[in-house]
Amino acid sequence: MENYVEESPLCKFRTRMMGGSPFINYGITLDGVTPPDMLTANLNMITWIIKELNITKDSHVLELAAGRGGYILGIAEQTGCTFVGTDILPSFVDEANDNAKKRNLDSKGYFIQASFQNSSEKVGTNKKFTHVISIGSVYYVHSEIDVCLSNIADIADDKTAILLWDMNRRKDWTECRKYERHMKVKHLLSQSEMLESCIRCNLVVNKMIDVTKDMLPCLKILRDAALEEDPTSEIITFPYVYDAFNEGEVVYPVWELSKAANRTES
């Protein structure tokens, strides 16, 4: 997988590009306007998600794989919603809780350690969330996608809005060399395979939005800066990400799901 260890060159580069903010994704354009930097690009994602899901002060939002809390804290700050965030890395959970305190949001929510695979056990299944979201992390667990989606379904009820900001391949995995060169993953689902998993896990696909074209300008910002720092792309491999999306190896779909009303708990 892409290396998120704090000392890694990739992580240090990404942190610099984000202006030190706790974001881990690539950002989007809004209304066709290319953002001036990656921090703005990621703030655009928060604006987009709030509007798309109609998150309000009355919402209670769960973010899975929340990292250091950048997205859900931004959502809570703008809307006044309450929240719970999870991440598999204890250091990210600690930093996210610290970030919540620094931003006076610890009264609105908290972060706990959990993986996609055990999220329903750690978070609970009492159906209290109006929204369940995960931004740019689901593809790391595509090899166990049924387990992960079943956990999400167990957390949700049929009124919970679920948003998964994912990556899917458009070509055979053997042709996705540029993507694999950067991410170091060994398995990536196609959109049809993701849809089949949703059906198996009794999740309804309400909408699938391909946001690739809105993310490419932001990926280009990363690519250009990476090439200045590492012209060979041997260490700072973000140019491979841009090429993979620009050439159609992979796409960015946003899956909007809900739980089928006839789902029985596992």
Side-chain angles (χ1 to χ4, degrees):
M1 295 194 310
E2 183 180 8
N3 193 345
Y4 285 118
V5 177
E6 292 295 329
E7 294 77 16
S8 74
L10 275 179
C11 190
K12 288 180 177 180
F13 172 80
R14 183 192 288 273
T15 300
R16 289 196 302 275
M17 292 297 295
M18 302 298 176
S21 297
F23 295 116
I24 58 172
N25 216 293
Y26 302 132
I28 61 169
T29 62
L30 284 180
D31 302 320
V33 178
T34 299
D37 51 49
M38 292 305 299
L39 176 57
T40 305
N42 278 266
L43 294 173
N44 285 349
M45 292 177 72
I46 292 172
T47 299
W48 189 93
I49 290 168
I50 291 171
K51 182 178 179 181
E52 179 68 19
L53 294 182
N54 191 30
I55 297 174
T56 71
K57 63 179 179 60
D58 298 318
S59 301
H60 189 45
V61 184
L62 169 66
E63 183 181 6
L64 300 171
R68 296 179 292 167
Y71 299 107
I72 191 59
L73 292 177
I75 291 170
E77 206 163 46
Q78 290 190 35
T79 66
C81 73
T82 55
F83 67 88
V84 175
T86 73
D87 201 84
I88 195 172
L89 297 178
S91 61
F92 278 10
V93 172
D94 290 343
E95 188 171 349
N97 280 313
D98 287 343
N99 288 334
K101 290 179 183 178
K102 290 175 184 176
R103 295 165 71 169
N104 296 317
L105 292 169
D106 49 320
S107 64
K108 292 291 186 180
Y110 57 89
F111 297 85
I112 63 171
Q113 185 182 4
S115 67
F116 280 105
Q117 294 92 327
N118 69 4
S119 55
S120 63
E121 173 190 350
K122 296 293 185 179
V123 173
T125 58
N126 57 352
K127 313 302 177 292
K128 61 183 178 180
F129 295 104
T130 58
H131 301 80
V132 176
I133 65 175
S134 186
I135 304 169
S137 295
V138 176
Y139 47 86
Y140 287 127
V141 291
H142 275 186
S143 61
E144 299 181 72
I145 193 62
D146 281 13
V147 174
C148 300
L149 292 184
S150 291
N151 270 266
I152 291 171
D154 285 344
I155 291 168
D157 63 23
D158 57 6
K159 295 181 178 62
T160 305
I162 302 166
L163 182 146
L164 306 179
W165 199 301
D166 201 13
M167 290 186 194
N168 293 135
R169 60 179 173 83
R170 292 185 61 193
K171 299 182 178 181
D172 187 89
W173 180 240
T174 58
E175 299 179 64
C176 296
R177 294 306 184 191
K178 291 181 178 178
Y179 174 85
E180 196 275 337
R181 173 71 177 81
H182 174 72
M183 298 301 295
K184 303 295 191 297
V185 296
K186 300 300 180 185
H187 189 74
L188 191 70
L189 297 175
S190 66
Q191 290 180 0
S192 61
E193 289 170 334
M194 184 67 172
L195 176 59
E196 290 166 2
S197 181
C198 289
I199 294 170
R200 287 193 298 271
C201 297
N202 289 338
L203 291 170
V204 177
V205 177
N206 300 311
K207 189 189 297 186
M208 193 281 290
I209 306 169
D210 186 343
V211 296
T212 307
K213 65 179 179 59
D214 298 311
M215 298 187 78
L216 274 173
C218 309
L219 288 169
K220 187 176 184 296
I221 294 173
L222 277 176
R223 182 201 67 177
D224 292 348
L227 287 172
E228 285 187 14
E229 190 162 324
D230 178 16
T232 66
S233 301
E234 287 297 317
I235 298 174
I236 310 299
T237 53
F238 285 107
Y240 290 107
V241 180
Y242 175 83
D243 290 344
F245 284 98
N246 192 46
E247 296 171 14
E249 282 188 8
V250 287
V251 292
Y252 269 114
V254 176
W255 296 90
E256 296 188 27
L257 314 172
S258 58
K259 180 176 176 176
N262 63 346
R263 163 123 182 146
T264 56
E265 306 306 333
S266 58

